Amino acid sequence: MENQEIQGNEPKSFLQSNTAKIIMVGFLTLFLLIPLLFVQNLIEERSERKNEVDQEIATLWGSDVTFYGPILRIPYQTFENYNVTDTKTGATTIQKRAFTQYAYFFPNELINVSTVKKNESLKRGIFNPIVFTANMKFNGNFTAPNLAKLNIPEANVQWEKAAIVVKTTNLKSIKSELSIKLNNEKLLFEPQPDDKSDYSVLATNLFNYSDLANGKPIQFHFNIQYNGSNSINFIPIGKITKVTMDSDWESPSLEGSFAANDATKVVNKNGFHADWKILDINRTFSQQYASALPNLDDYKFGVKLIDTVDEYQQNERVSKYGFLVIGLTFLIFFLIQSVSKINIHIFQYSMIGIALIMFYTLLISITEHSSFSLAYAIAGTAVIVMIALYSVSILKNKKFPLFIASALTVLYSFIYVIIQLEDYALLVGSIGLFLILGAVMYFSRKIDWGK
């Protein structure tokens, strides 16, 4: 009898203590970071594949669009003195050699109205890159060239060999006639030899500036249609530059050196509208140049057409909360085990952890064939039901499994809300984690950690 009392009062071994159990669960949580890392690598690999497809489609359909023009180009002659020595007499004379150079003059007024439409018809396997078609209308005028600022004598100017020049990217994806109307005269653009820059050059056939202008400003009008992707940018070379853009793209990023007009800017689920007005006093370059055109990329402005958070970015953000989900789920089971005195084996913790990891593989695979929200709901529901049913066999009742299912539902819902937020994600996440910590402290307050 005494021996039975002594055996009943024997202290439990260290491996049966709460401390040992929480250490083992902690090590298991850290170990599960390995498969979680593999899942994150899978998401990154699929995202890279999507980017490769996007790049391939952009190469075929059309890439970024940047427009620099139109520019009035007028040739002029410069002269250089050189010595010529007569081999017989030895006398030296000075002669002149003529060189042709070009003067470039920017418009007095440049007005652009652009309409950008999404195109979602291009599909490659399970990937469906989004590109656009841009219809651009240009109007404006050139006033009389200011030769005095370039120190060019008017007698040296070849007025009869004037041309209009345009520099642009994505030349191969222009889908309209390349022509411009100057007053009542129509001129055709032709591609020029590569100037070894990021831009392709278009120039009209030659015309007589003096005859066409007749002492008045030259009015111009032309249209261009582009197939493109990613972005549209302009360089404000007009003394007054006005740009208006309308699109059905709901997630634009207005970028560049000049901001759109806040009073008229509209961005909503149906698309966006943006206006820019830039004066010559807003930038630090001249309206005329001799010899060569300057690089004005620092003055670009326009819009980047993006997906704010695509499905792979959303999957990546969700996976970053994997450690939190695994840790809190294990903590819930540990607290239930401690309160109810039900023993949960480390193997059973492992099965639960693997089920939690499977959520991310289900999410990425379903997302590629549907929307992220639907994939999240299906994957979350499947994992919660699986863990709840498994918990019934472990905990031998229905009360605790229902609590576990409810807690996981709240946790997955909380994470979904966080990743949908942009400006308030950190604030909401911090408040949520604070409340979770408070709940854990409340439910664990009566546990005797010394046993």
Side-chain angles (χ1 to χ4, degrees):
M1 185 75 176
E2 292 179 359
N3 291 337
Q4 290 177 352
E5 290 179 359
I6 293 173
Q7 289 175 357
N9 294 327
E10 285 182 356
K12 294 181 179 179
S13 67
F14 176 74
L15 293 177
Q16 294 178 308
S17 66
N18 286 331
T19 302
K21 291 177 181 178
I22 201 168
I23 290 174
M24 287 189 288
V25 171
F27 274 117
L28 177 61
T29 305
L30 293 175
F31 180 78
L32 288 174
L33 290 180
I34 298 175
L36 183 61
L37 181 61
F38 288 148
V39 171
Q40 291 174 339
N41 289 338
L42 173 63
I43 296 172
E44 184 178 353
E45 178 186 335
R46 301 300 291 174
S47 178
E48 289 177 356
R49 174 56 183 156
K50 177 181 179 293
N51 292 335
E52 289 174 2
V53 172
D54 288 348
Q55 186 62 41
E56 182 181 345
I57 295 297
T59 301
L60 297 174
W61 175 264
S63 56
D64 302 76
V65 175
T66 300
F67 195 87
Y68 180 178
I71 304 155
L72 175 62
R73 185 186 71 186
I74 299 177
Y76 65 95
Q77 288 188 318
T78 58
F79 300 91
E80 181 183 79
N81 295 330
Y82 66 98
N83 296 330
V84 177
T85 303
D86 191 313
T87 56
K88 294 181 179 180
T89 64
T92 300
T93 58
I94 298 176
Q95 297 186 10
K96 288 185 177 181
R97 181 187 292 121
F99 295 92
T100 298
Q101 296 192 24
Y102 293 95
Y104 299 91
F105 302 92
F106 294 156
N108 179 65
E109 186 176 35
L110 176 59
I111 301 173
N112 169 264
V113 177
S114 295
T115 302
V116 183
K117 296 291 184 181
K118 286 195 294 186
N119 188 318
E120 301 181 54
S121 63
L122 302 177
K123 191 170 183 179
R124 187 67 56 86
I126 63 173
F127 302 107
N128 189 19
I130 302 175
V131 292
F132 63 79
T133 297
N135 291 290
M136 300 182 179
K137 297 180 179 180
F138 292 88
N139 295 281
N141 60 75
F142 292 98
T143 54
N146 192 336
L147 299 173
K149 285 191 174 182
L150 299 177
N151 296 318
I152 299 174
E154 189 168 348
N156 295 346
V157 178
Q158 298 175 322
W159 297 105
E160 72 282 2
K161 295 183 179 180
I164 301 296
V165 174
V166 164
K167 300 182 74 173
T168 182
T169 58
N170 200 18
L171 184 63
K172 72 174 186 178
S173 295
I174 295 178
K175 300 303 177 182
S176 60
E177 182 187 30
L178 300 177
S179 64
I180 184 171
K181 195 171 184 179
L182 300 179
N183 289 343
N184 293 320
E185 184 172 342
K186 182 179 179 180
L187 302 174
L188 296 177
F189 282 108
E190 293 183 357
Q192 302 299 299
D194 187 8
D195 63 353
K196 297 181 180 180
S197 71
D198 294 333
Y199 293 92
S200 299
V201 179
L202 300 171
T204 64
N205 45 306
L206 304 182
F207 65 93
N208 191 312
Y209 175 85
S210 299
D211 292 345
L212 190 61
N214 196 23
K216 299 178 181 179
I218 292 180
Q219 304 294 326
F220 64 81
H221 170 78
F222 64 99
N223 300 333
I224 294 183
Q225 183 184 89
Y226 285 95
N227 286 344
S229 59
N230 192 50
S231 68
I232 301 174
N233 287 283
F234 302 91
I235 295 179
I237 61 173
K239 195 168 186 179
I240 300 174
T241 301
K242 297 177 182 179
V243 173
T244 298
M245 190 178 299
D246 289 281
S247 176
D248 57 355
W249 206 290
E250 65 276 6
S251 56
S253 174
L254 304 180
E255 60 180 6
S257 299
F258 303 95
N261 188 338
D262 281 336
T264 60
K265 183 173 66 176
V266 176
V267 180
N268 55 41
K269 64 179 181 179
N270 297 319
F272 74 90
H273 170 89
D275 297 303
W276 291 264
K277 182 178 180 180
I278 299 135
L279 307 177
D280 59 334
I281 60 174
N282 301 138
R283 66 321 189 259
T284 57
F285 58 84
S286 176
Q287 288 297 110
Q288 54 277 316
Y289 288 89
S291 301
L293 284 168
N295 185 339
L296 301 178
D297 283 353
D298 289 342
Y299 299 92
K300 287 194 302 186
F301 69 94
V303 60
K304 189 171 185 180
L305 305 172
I306 58 174
D307 289 326
T308 306
V309 180
D310 69 16
E311 64 272 18
Y312 293 102
Q313 289 175 320
Q314 290 176 314
N315 273 271
E316 182 182 358
R317 290 176 63 183
V318 170
S319 68
K320 290 180 179 178
Y321 292 96
F323 180 76
L324 174 66
V325 174
I326 295 171
L328 288 177
T329 304
F330 282 177
L331 183 59
I332 291 171
F333 274 93
F334 181 80
L335 292 176
I336 290 174
Q337 172 182 317
S338 300
V339 170
S340 64
K341 308 302 181 182
I342 298 173
N343 186 40
I344 302 176
H345 195 273
I346 194 67
F347 176 80
Q348 294 169 320
Y349 275 106
S350 301
M351 293 297 98
I352 295 166
I354 293 173
L356 295 172
I357 297 294
M358 285 298 299
F359 166 78
Y360 302 100
T361 58
L362 285 173
L363 180 61
I364 183 65
S365 58
I366 299 173
T367 298
E368 291 186 333
H369 299 276
S370 66
S371 67
F372 173 80
S373 298
L374 178 60
Y376 194 96
I378 294 173
T381 302
V383 170
I384 291 172
V385 170
M386 176 182 285
I387 292 177
L389 293 176
Y390 189 60
S391 301
V392 172
S393 64
I394 297 174
L395 303 175
K396 308 301 181 183
N397 61 51
K398 295 182 179 179
K399 179 179 67 174
F400 289 130
L402 285 175
F403 173 76
I404 291 168
S406 300
L408 286 175
T409 301
V410 171
L411 182 57
Y412 279 123
S413 300
F414 170 65
I415 293 173
Y416 180 81
V417 170
I418 289 177
I419 63 172
Q420 298 303 313
L421 298 174
E422 293 183 19
D423 298 332
Y424 298 99
L426 179 60
L427 176 62
V428 174
S430 300
I431 294 174
L433 290 176
F434 181 80
L435 294 176
I436 290 172
L437 175 61
V440 172
M441 294 172 69
Y442 176 80
F443 287 110
S444 62
R445 69 191 189 281
K446 294 184 178 180
I447 297 176
D448 185 357
W449 298 103
K451 292 183 179 181

